[in-house]
Amino acid sequence: MGRKRHGPQIVVVTGASAGVGRATAHAFAARGATVALLARGARGLEAAAQDVRAAGGRPLPIGVDVSDAQAVDAAAARVERELGPIDVWVNAAFATVFAPVQEVEAEEFDRVTRVTYLGFVHGTQAALRHMVPRNRGTIVQVGSALAHRGVPLQSAYCAAKHAIQGFHESLRCELLHDRSRVRVTMVHLPGVNTPQFSWVLSRLPRHPQPMPPIYQPEVAARGILYAADHPGRREYWVGGSTAATLIGNRFAPGLIDRYLARTGYSSQQTDRPRDPDRPTNLWAPADSADGRDYGSHGAFDDRTTSRSTQLWASQHRGLLAAVGAAAGAVGCALAVRSARS
């Protein structure tokens, strides 16, 4: 359950045309990986492929809707045929709706579930069909603090992320039972500055935003790469807010309910009214309507951070434990010395 090899890899990233998926593909490419880019939007895929080339990687853009299991299977087969054995599969594609529960249509719940939950299932099963016979490979599920803690106005997304968490835990137990060398891990993210807030289906009165503090997608990408290289842990947390949310929800979920009831509506909206003519990507990719490449970053660059002390600490737990043990030993020695003097 140890460290994955560095060096050239064949990596598949779903949701690769924008946001966290786009940043993750770029990060893998920067260390020479061949990256299969799976997404719907043609313009975003084309630009993502250019990013991968510029970073030093080799791209294979594939237009696919992850809610279509057969299409995902076909994409995996194409990657294996044209590029070679898949080393890492990253599930990052998602869709969501910003609205109170009673304002979300049944077909919208269905669509979010098919993309955000079943898209991960389809990607994972496609990867396993190739990895299990070889007895090697890594699957990274891009999760969220909202996989453990629901928030108002995002019921469809939170439910789907909770489902992914349960799916991940079941699969991990099965792989452990089989003593498989195929690894699966999950990376829980905080609020991230991605383009989704410019195209998400929203019925809120004001422009939606990530729940602060907001992190740049490159922070998430660093966490995902680290998890791919160290897949022995069942999950990783990125961002201090993720850690605070998950720990707080574990010990005081009722208190968190009341806190989010007071703050969850305002913290997920800016002061700017929602543009009624903005694109919506739930049913079709936003770039197919306006031909625009949305890139990795959203509209909140002026309010985001590019660092996460918590992520660094999570990646260096052994070092911190050693330092803590050494400090404790020194403290005990000083206390004994003081008692004897």
Side-chain angles (χ1 to χ4, degrees):
M1 303 287 285
R3 178 189 299 260
K4 288 289 292 181
R5 65 179 173 84
H6 287 275
Q9 293 176 308
I10 296 173
V11 180
V12 177
V13 180
T14 72
S17 62
V20 170
R22 176 88 164 256
T24 300
H26 184 274
F28 273 109
R31 66 186 199 188
T34 296
V35 187
L37 308 158
L38 274 57
R40 295 178 302 163
R43 179 69 187 94
L45 273 176
E46 176 187 348
Q50 293 172 357
D51 285 353
V52 167
R53 290 190 195 96
R58 175 188 174 196
L60 176 63
I62 302 176
V64 63
D65 186 330
V66 296
S67 69
D68 184 338
Q70 291 183 341
V72 175
D73 250 352
R78 180 181 171 188
V79 173
E80 292 265 329
R81 184 173 63 251
E82 297 185 19
L83 303 181
I86 298 167
D87 294 301
V88 178
W89 185 293
V90 179
N91 285 310
F94 75 94
T96 186
V97 175
F98 275 76
V101 168
Q102 65 270 26
E103 295 182 22
V104 183
E105 302 292 339
E107 60 269 23
E108 294 165 356
F109 272 115
D110 182 78
R111 175 63 179 166
V112 171
T113 303
R114 289 181 178 276
V115 174
T116 307
Y117 169 50
L118 290 179
F120 278 52
V121 173
H122 300 156
T124 300
Q125 289 187 317
L128 290 172
R129 289 186 182 102
H130 297 280
M131 292 177 177
V132 168
R134 290 192 291 266
N135 200 29
R136 66 179 175 87
T138 297
I139 301 169
V140 181
Q141 316 288 18
V142 178
S144 167
L146 307 190
H148 291 276
R149 170 67 249 180
V151 298
L153 306 177
Q154 292 202 62
S155 55
Y157 178 82
C158 292
K161 286 296 185 182
H162 275 65
I164 294 166
Q165 180 69 30
F167 172 76
H168 164 68
E169 292 168 356
S170 293
L171 173 59
R172 189 168 187 273
C173 291
E174 292 173 7
L175 293 173
L176 289 169
H177 171 269
D178 296 339
R179 298 186 179 181
S180 174
R181 293 174 63 86
V182 176
R183 309 297 188 222
V184 59
T185 188
M186 195 163 182
V187 182
H188 291 305
L189 304 182
V192 182
N193 176 33
T194 70
Q196 69 138 325
F197 301 95
S198 296
W199 67 35
V200 65
L201 173 59
S202 174
R203 296 193 174 92
L204 305 181
R206 303 193 303 277
H207 192 287
Q209 69 173 12
M211 192 171 287
I214 306 171
Y215 293 81
Q216 291 289 27
E218 288 77 16
V219 176
R222 291 197 295 272
I224 291 165
L225 258 68
Y226 188 87
D229 290 337
H230 305 80
R233 280 171 55 181
R234 69 196 302 270
E235 66 182 31
Y236 290 85
W237 299 352
V238 175
S241 57
T242 299
T245 298
L246 299 188
I247 293 170
N249 190 63
R250 183 173 299 169
F251 293 103
L255 182 63
I256 301 297
D257 288 345
R258 289 170 174 77
Y259 173 77
L260 288 170
R262 291 195 305 270
T263 66
Y265 279 62
S266 60
S267 64
Q268 295 185 88
Q269 300 179 73
T270 69
D271 295 331
R272 191 169 79 250
R274 174 173 57 89
D275 180 0
D277 299 322
R278 63 195 231 118
T280 299
N281 83 326
L282 183 62
W283 305 105
D287 62 10
S288 66
D290 57 18
R292 171 184 167 190
D293 170 34
Y294 285 83
S296 299
H297 288 208
F300 307 101
D301 280 334
D302 59 335
R303 295 195 284 127
T304 59
T305 178
S306 298
R307 298 180 180 179
S308 170
T309 302
Q310 182 280 331
L311 176 60
W312 183 91
S314 176
Q315 295 172 353
H316 297 83
R317 291 194 307 177
L319 174 62
L320 293 175
V323 171
V330 171
C332 288
L334 291 175
V336 169
R337 182 178 177 180
S338 176
R340 289 175 176 174
S341 61

